[in-house]
Amino acid sequence: MQVAEMRRSAARATIDLTAYDLYLRAVGAFFPTTKERILASLALLEQAIAIDRHYGPALSWAAICHLRLVVDGFVEAPETSRRKAIDLLGCRSGRKKTILASSPTPPSCSPILARMSAP
């Protein structure tokens, strides 16, 4: 998939109402942030992504969930969650085809993502 196609895919809203509903419920479940709420949000986002694997906002929020689990010390294997977050954002192999750049993400997550993407 070319970078331009990735950006279009990441920015587009899903046409599946079930995926959209799951996404909205996941964002609502995320706050206030606790381990349980992050895991609940991630479970909903994974369902939305299973329905529409190109749903940019759901991919971004799933990455944020993985990053928060690492940053907040909620996982026993932080490297696994870190890699999942990077994969969801499309930052592998030094190519910055980031979903994050073209989809809505809370500004407070940018420093976390920068730290997590570092080698």
Side-chain angles (χ1 to χ4, degrees):
M1 186 178 280
Q2 296 179 351
V3 174
E5 290 175 39
M6 286 286 295
R7 286 191 182 125
R8 280 194 303 273
S9 173
R12 79 166 174 80
T14 186
I15 57 171
D16 189 288
L17 293 179
T18 302
Y20 182 64
D21 178 62
L22 289 163
Y23 165 77
L24 291 177
R25 290 173 39 209
V27 173
F30 187 82
F31 298 103
T33 356
T34 64
K35 180 180 180 179
E36 293 74 25
R37 293 183 75 93
I38 294 170
L39 292 173
S41 182
L42 186 56
L44 292 166
L45 291 164
E46 287 171 348
Q47 290 177 51
I49 293 165
I51 293 169
D52 183 349
R53 66 184 183 99
H54 297 290
Y55 188 14
L59 292 164
S60 294
W61 272 99
I64 290 165
C65 288
H66 282 291
L67 297 177
R68 288 304 303 248
L69 290 170
V70 172
V71 170
D72 294 342
F74 293 144
V75 289
E76 291 180 22
E79 186 59 26
T80 301
S81 285
R82 179 185 173 277
R83 287 179 192 206
K84 285 181 183 178
I86 291 169
D87 287 343
L88 285 163
L89 294 173
C91 297
R92 278 270 174 238
S93 306
R95 294 187 323 223
K96 293 288 183 181
K97 48 184 178 176
T98 64
I99 288 168
L100 183 64
S102 58
S103 64
T105 303
S108 62
C109 294
S110 296
I112 296 168
L113 293 172
R115 185 174 0 151
M116 298 302 286
S117 295

